[in-house]
Amino acid sequence: MSNILILGGTTEASALASALAERGARAVLSYAGRTDRPRAQPVPVRVGGFGGVSGLVRHLRDEGVTHLVDATHPFAATMSEHAVAAARETGVPHIMLTRPPWIAAEGDRWTHVPDIAGALAALKGPARNVMLALGRMHVDAFAAQPQHHYLLRFVDAPVVAPGLPRHALVIDRGPFTVERDMGLMRDHGIDCVVSKNAGGGGAQAKIIAARTLGLPVVMIDRPPAPAAQVTHEVAGVLEWLGHAAERGV
Ligand code: NAP
């Protein structure tokens, strides 16, 4: 019987876990452990890093993993590289389940930047009310542009207060809607949004809200993805698992 390891932390990973549980497949969902209260899952969960490529190789072997599905966030580039390397070393079949990036539509006012440093450079200039829709990991870097007032939205209340001189903090894990995000932007007088090009439906509300309000967006493009088989759909993974079984792997 197959024994699937899902690298998670995304809605896609949770959707795949549900689909596999419904089919009675054996699967484990792996979290990095960044969130205090991960969503309840219909499959067993493990939490924490593996210890680099060698740790993941050991885990795949010790647990008898037969299929590795990388459903991490498109910006989790290190984990995705490790997954490809460990799959290669062990011969465990590997696929990436990822969301297609957002593409600018009519009315979008995006400035594309390659990374956080690029976003900081794009924020040089007079004080603005900036919504930093980035999660908590990179927020402190924005202290380098301290003139702005930042609106932050985190899944969990932080243990240590964000290191930004002027900010407001909203704790909310979504799901977010365009109407509510427009209301939030209006309430805080937002005049610029900084976002990663995460893709997918769940995080898109703020992008549509910015478009509707005519607000500029500093869009951080994705890091390069490793060469790997990719699907954008849970169904694509299920098909791959079926095909993999037919090939006897
Ligand atoms: P990352 O930089 O690619 O990974 C850093 C390290 O965290 C990895 O080397 C690995 O540690 C551990 N790790 C990451 N994902 C893991 C997983 N699913 N299971 C077990 N260990 C994992 O990743 P990140 O950007 O910090 O993201 C961490 C988690 O948050 C991921 O699960 C990702 O899907 C989720 N997430 C990230 C973002 C984002 O914007 N980056 C947004 C939403 C959700 P070892 O080397 O010790 O194995």
Side-chain angles (χ1 to χ4, degrees):
M1 186 185 182
S2 36
N3 180 17
I4 303 148
L5 177 63
I6 309 166
L7 303 174
T10 59
T11 44
E12 290 74 16
S14 303
L16 176 63
S18 298
L20 291 173
E22 272 169 28
R23 286 160 180 78
R26 186 167 161 213
V28 171
L29 180 56
S30 174
Y31 283 122
R34 301 278 192 274
T35 309
D36 295 343
R37 301 160 289 127
R39 288 180 201 279
Q41 295 291 345
V43 299
V45 166
R46 67 161 299 285
V47 181
F50 298 96
V53 176
S54 58
L56 182 55
V57 164
R58 207 166 32 246
H59 181 91
L60 295 175
R61 287 188 175 135
D62 288 354
E63 299 298 319
V65 172
T66 60
H67 298 84
L68 178 59
V69 183
D70 175 7
T72 56
H73 191 273
F75 281 75
T78 305
M79 188 69 252
S80 291
E81 273 172 31
H82 290 183
V84 166
R88 197 179 298 132
E89 194 172 327
T90 54
V92 171
H94 164 275
I95 194 168
M96 290 179 81
L97 169 61
T98 188
R99 327 156 183 179
W102 298 316
I103 311 275
E106 201 180 329
D108 279 324
R109 298 171 57 201
W110 294 1
T111 301
H112 287 274
V113 296
D115 49 25
I116 297 287
L120 283 166
L123 288 180
K124 279 186 187 146
R128 285 187 275 173
N129 289 327
V130 179
M131 180 172 177
L132 272 192
L134 295 177
R136 65 180 158 178
M137 273 189 287
H138 298 290
V139 154
D140 287 356
F142 287 81
Q145 297 291 339
Q147 70 278 29
H148 303 304
H149 189 281
Y150 292 100
L151 171 62
L152 313 175
R153 181 163 62 191
F154 293 171
V155 173
D156 301 301
V159 179
V160 180
L164 296 173
R166 290 157 3 106
H167 72 265
L169 175 59
V170 174
I171 307 296
D172 193 347
R173 68 159 60 206
F176 305 112
T177 65
V178 175
E179 299 230 313
R180 272 184 58 211
D181 276 4
M182 282 173 65
L184 189 67
M185 289 175 192
R186 282 204 190 98
D187 290 349
H188 291 264
I190 294 300
D191 38 33
C192 175
V193 175
V194 180
S195 174
K196 293 175 177 171
N197 194 337
Q204 200 180 12
K206 60 182 176 279
I207 303 302
I208 300 171
R211 179 191 306 154
T212 311
L213 295 173
L215 298 177
V217 175
V218 176
M219 184 61 81
I220 305 173
D221 290 331
R222 293 177 173 201
Q229 187 172 346
V230 177
T231 178
H232 296 313
E233 310 288 341
V234 166
V237 178
L238 299 176
E239 199 181 321
W240 173 76
L241 288 166
H243 286 177
E246 279 165 28
R247 289 199 308 268
V249 287

Coordinates of all heavy atoms in Angstrom, one line a residue, residues 6-10 29-35 46-53 55-56 70-82 99 134-135 137-138 196 198, ligand 1:
I6 N 2.9 14.3 2.6 CA 2.5 15.6 2.1 C 3.2 16.7 2.9 O 3.1 16.8 4.1 CB 1.0 15.9 2.2 CG1 0.2 14.7 1.7 CG2 0.6 17.2 1.6 CD1 -1.3 14.8 2.2
L7 N 4.0 17.5 2.2 CA 4.6 18.7 2.8 C 3.6 19.8 2.7 O 3.3 20.2 1.6 CB 5.9 19.0 2.1 CG 7.0 17.9 2.0 CD1 8.2 18.3 1.2 CD2 7.4 17.5 3.4
G8 N 3.2 20.3 3.9 CA 2.0 21.1 3.9 C 2.2 22.5 4.3 O 3.3 23.1 4.1
G9 N 1.2 23.1 5.0 CA 1.2 24.5 5.4 C 0.4 25.3 4.5 O 0.6 26.5 4.5
T10 N -0.4 24.7 3.6 CA -1.2 25.5 2.6 C -2.6 24.9 2.6 O -2.8 23.7 3.0 CB -0.6 25.3 1.2 OG1 -0.5 23.9 0.9 CG2 0.8 25.9 1.2
L29 N 0.6 14.3 6.9 CA 0.8 15.7 6.5 C 1.9 16.3 7.4 O 1.8 16.2 8.7 CB -0.6 16.5 6.7 CG -0.6 17.9 6.4 CD1 -0.2 18.2 5.0 CD2 -2.1 18.4 6.6
S30 N 2.8 17.0 6.8 CA 4.0 17.5 7.6 C 3.9 19.0 7.6 O 3.7 19.7 6.6 CB 5.3 17.1 6.9 OG 6.4 17.8 7.5
Y31 N 4.0 19.6 8.8 CA 4.0 21.1 9.0 C 5.4 21.5 9.5 O 6.0 20.7 10.3 CB 3.0 21.5 10.1 CG 1.6 21.5 9.8 CD1 0.7 20.7 10.4 CD2 1.1 22.4 8.8 CE1 -0.7 20.8 10.1 CE2 -0.2 22.4 8.5 CZ -1.1 21.7 9.1 OH -2.4 21.7 8.8
A32 N 5.8 22.7 9.1 CA 7.1 23.2 9.6 C 6.9 23.6 11.1 O 7.9 23.6 11.8 CB 7.5 24.4 8.8
G33 N 5.7 23.9 11.5 CA 5.5 24.3 12.9 C 5.5 25.8 13.1 O 5.8 26.3 14.2
R34 N 5.2 26.6 12.0 CA 5.2 28.0 12.1 C 4.0 28.6 12.8 O 4.0 29.7 13.3 CB 5.3 28.7 10.8 CG 6.5 28.3 10.0 CD 7.8 29.1 10.3 NE 8.8 28.9 9.4 CZ 9.7 27.9 9.4 NH1 9.6 27.0 10.4 NH2 10.6 27.7 8.4
T35 N 2.9 27.8 12.7 CA 1.6 28.3 13.2 C 1.2 27.7 14.6 O 1.5 26.5 14.7 CB 0.5 28.0 12.2 OG1 0.9 28.4 10.9 CG2 -0.8 28.6 12.5
R46 N 2.6 15.4 11.3 CA 3.8 15.5 12.0 C 4.3 17.0 11.9 O 3.9 17.7 11.0 CB 4.9 14.6 11.5 CG 5.3 15.0 10.1 CD 6.7 14.4 9.6 NE 7.8 14.8 10.5 CZ 8.4 16.0 10.4 NH1 7.9 16.9 9.6 NH2 9.4 16.3 11.2
V47 N 5.0 17.4 12.9 CA 5.4 18.9 13.0 C 6.9 19.0 13.2 O 7.5 18.3 14.0 CB 4.6 19.6 14.1 CG1 5.0 21.1 14.2 CG2 3.1 19.4 14.0
G48 N 7.5 20.0 12.4 CA 8.9 20.3 12.6 C 9.8 20.0 11.4 O 9.4 19.1 10.6
G49 N 10.9 20.7 11.3 CA 11.8 20.4 10.2 C 12.4 19.0 10.3 O 12.3 18.4 11.4
F50 N 12.9 18.5 9.2 CA 13.4 17.2 9.1 C 14.9 17.2 9.4 O 15.5 16.1 9.7 CB 13.2 16.6 7.7 CG 11.8 16.5 7.3 CD1 11.1 17.5 6.6 CD2 11.0 15.4 7.7 CE1 9.8 17.3 6.2 CE2 9.7 15.2 7.4 CZ 9.1 16.2 6.6
G51 N 15.5 18.3 9.3 CA 17.0 18.4 9.5 C 17.7 18.4 8.2 O 18.6 17.5 7.9
G52 N 17.3 19.2 7.3 CA 17.9 19.3 5.9 C 17.6 18.1 5.1 O 16.8 17.3 5.4
V53 N 18.4 18.1 4.0 CA 18.1 17.0 3.0 C 18.4 15.7 3.6 O 17.6 14.7 3.4 CB 19.0 17.2 1.7 CG1 18.9 16.1 0.7 CG2 18.7 18.5 1.0
G55 N 18.2 14.7 6.7 CA 17.1 14.4 7.6 C 15.9 13.9 6.9 O 15.2 13.0 7.3
L56 N 15.6 14.6 5.8 CA 14.4 14.2 5.0 C 14.6 12.8 4.3 O 13.7 11.9 4.3 CB 14.1 15.2 3.9 CG 12.8 15.0 3.1 CD1 11.6 14.7 3.9 CD2 12.6 16.2 2.1
D70 N 5.0 17.6 -2.5 CA 5.4 18.9 -2.0 C 4.3 19.9 -2.3 O 4.1 20.4 -3.4 CB 6.7 19.4 -2.7 CG 7.1 20.8 -2.2 OD1 6.4 21.4 -1.3 OD2 8.0 21.3 -2.8
A71 N 3.5 20.2 -1.2 CA 2.3 21.1 -1.4 C 2.6 22.3 -0.5 O 1.7 22.9 0.1 CB 1.0 20.4 -1.0
T72 N 3.9 22.7 -0.3 CA 4.3 23.9 0.5 C 3.9 25.1 -0.3 O 3.7 25.1 -1.5 CB 5.8 23.9 0.8 OG1 6.5 23.8 -0.4 CG2 6.1 22.7 1.8
H73 N 4.0 26.2 0.4 CA 3.8 27.5 -0.2 C 4.8 27.8 -1.3 O 6.0 27.4 -1.2 CB 3.8 28.6 0.9 CG 3.3 29.9 0.5 ND1 4.2 30.9 0.0 CD2 2.1 30.5 0.7 CE1 3.4 32.0 -0.2 NE2 2.2 31.8 0.2
P74 N 4.4 28.5 -2.4 CA 5.4 28.8 -3.5 C 6.6 29.6 -3.0 O 7.6 29.5 -3.7 CB 4.6 29.6 -4.5 CG 3.2 29.5 -4.1 CD 3.1 29.0 -2.7
F75 N 6.5 30.2 -1.8 CA 7.7 30.9 -1.3 C 8.5 30.1 -0.3 O 9.6 30.6 0.2 CB 7.3 32.3 -0.7 CG 7.0 33.4 -1.7 CD1 5.9 33.3 -2.4 CD2 7.9 34.4 -1.9 CE1 5.6 34.3 -3.4 CE2 7.7 35.3 -2.9 CZ 6.5 35.3 -3.6
A76 N 8.1 28.9 -0.1 CA 8.9 28.0 0.8 C 10.0 27.3 -0.1 O 9.9 26.1 -0.3 CB 8.0 27.0 1.5
A77 N 10.9 28.1 -0.6 CA 11.8 27.6 -1.7 C 12.8 26.5 -1.1 O 13.2 25.6 -1.8 CB 12.6 28.7 -2.3
T78 N 13.2 26.7 0.1 CA 14.2 25.8 0.7 C 13.6 24.4 0.8 O 14.3 23.4 0.4 CB 14.7 26.3 2.1 OG1 15.2 27.7 1.9 CG2 15.8 25.5 2.7
M79 N 12.4 24.3 1.4 CA 11.8 23.0 1.6 C 11.6 22.3 0.3 O 11.8 21.1 0.1 CB 10.5 23.2 2.3 CG 9.8 21.9 2.7 SD 10.7 21.0 4.1 CE 11.4 19.6 3.2
S80 N 11.2 23.1 -0.7 CA 11.0 22.5 -2.1 C 12.2 22.0 -2.7 O 12.2 20.9 -3.3 CB 10.3 23.5 -3.0 OG 9.0 23.8 -2.5
E81 N 13.3 22.7 -2.5 CA 14.6 22.2 -3.0 C 15.0 20.9 -2.3 O 15.5 20.0 -2.9 CB 15.7 23.3 -2.8 CG 15.8 24.3 -3.9 CD 16.8 25.4 -3.6 OE1 17.7 25.1 -2.9 OE2 16.5 26.5 -4.0
H82 N 14.9 20.9 -1.0 CA 15.2 19.8 -0.2 C 14.4 18.5 -0.6 O 14.9 17.4 -0.7 CB 15.0 20.0 1.3 CG 15.9 21.0 1.9 ND1 15.9 21.3 3.3 CD2 16.9 21.7 1.4 CE1 16.9 22.2 3.5 NE2 17.5 22.4 2.4
R99 N -0.1 26.4 -6.5 CA -1.1 27.3 -7.2 C -0.4 28.1 -8.3 O 0.7 28.5 -8.2 CB -1.6 28.3 -6.2 CG -1.7 27.8 -4.8 CD -1.6 29.0 -3.9 NE -1.6 28.5 -2.5 CZ -1.6 29.3 -1.4 NH1 -1.5 30.6 -1.6 NH2 -1.5 28.8 -0.2
L134 N 2.1 39.9 4.2 CA 3.2 39.0 4.0 C 3.3 37.9 5.0 O 4.2 37.1 4.9 CB 4.5 39.8 4.1 CG 4.8 40.9 3.1 CD1 6.1 41.6 3.5 CD2 4.9 40.3 1.7
G135 N 2.5 37.9 6.0 CA 2.8 37.0 7.1 C 3.9 37.6 8.0 O 4.4 38.6 7.6
M137 N 6.9 36.6 8.9 CA 8.4 36.2 8.8 C 9.3 37.4 8.4 O 10.4 37.5 8.9 CB 8.6 35.1 7.9 CG 8.4 33.7 8.5 SD 8.9 32.4 7.5 CE 7.5 32.3 6.3
H138 N 8.8 38.2 7.5 CA 9.7 39.2 6.9 C 9.4 40.6 7.3 O 10.0 41.6 6.8 CB 9.7 39.1 5.4 CG 10.2 37.8 4.9 ND1 11.5 37.4 5.0 CD2 9.5 36.8 4.3 CE1 11.6 36.2 4.5 NE2 10.4 35.8 4.1
K196 N 3.1 39.1 -1.6 CA 3.9 38.0 -2.3 C 2.9 37.5 -3.4 O 1.7 37.4 -3.2 CB 4.2 36.9 -1.4 CG 5.2 37.2 -0.4 CD 5.4 36.0 0.5 CE 6.5 36.2 1.6 NZ 6.5 35.2 2.6
A198 N 1.5 34.9 -4.2 CA 1.2 33.6 -3.6 C 0.4 32.7 -4.6 O 0.5 31.5 -4.7 CB 0.5 33.7 -2.3
Ligands
NAP1 P1 11.3 27.3 3.8 O1 12.1 28.5 4.0 O2 11.3 26.7 2.5 O3 11.8 26.1 4.8 C1 12.7 26.4 5.9 C2 12.8 25.1 6.7 O4 11.6 24.8 7.4 C3 13.0 23.8 5.8 O5 14.4 23.7 5.5 C4 12.5 22.7 6.8 O6 13.4 22.5 7.8 C5 11.3 23.4 7.4 N1 10.0 23.2 6.7 C6 9.4 24.0 5.8 N2 8.3 23.4 5.4 C7 8.1 22.3 6.1 C8 7.1 21.3 6.1 N3 6.0 21.4 5.4 N4 7.3 20.2 7.0 C9 8.4 20.1 7.7 N5 9.4 21.0 7.7 C10 9.3 22.1 6.9 O7 9.8 27.4 4.3 P2 9.1 28.7 4.9 O8 9.0 29.7 3.8 O9 9.7 29.1 6.2 O10 7.6 28.1 5.2 C11 7.4 27.3 6.3 C12 6.0 26.7 6.2 O11 5.0 27.7 6.1 C13 5.8 25.8 5.0 O12 5.1 24.6 5.4 C14 5.0 26.6 4.0 O13 4.2 25.8 3.2 C15 4.2 27.5 5.0 N6 3.9 28.8 4.4 C16 4.9 29.6 4.0 C17 4.6 30.9 3.5 C18 5.7 31.8 2.9 O14 5.3 32.9 2.5 N7 6.9 31.4 2.9 C19 3.3 31.3 3.4 C20 2.3 30.5 3.9 C21 2.6 29.2 4.4 P3 14.5 21.3 7.7 O15 15.5 21.8 6.8 O16 15.0 21.1 9.1 O17 13.8 20.1 7.2

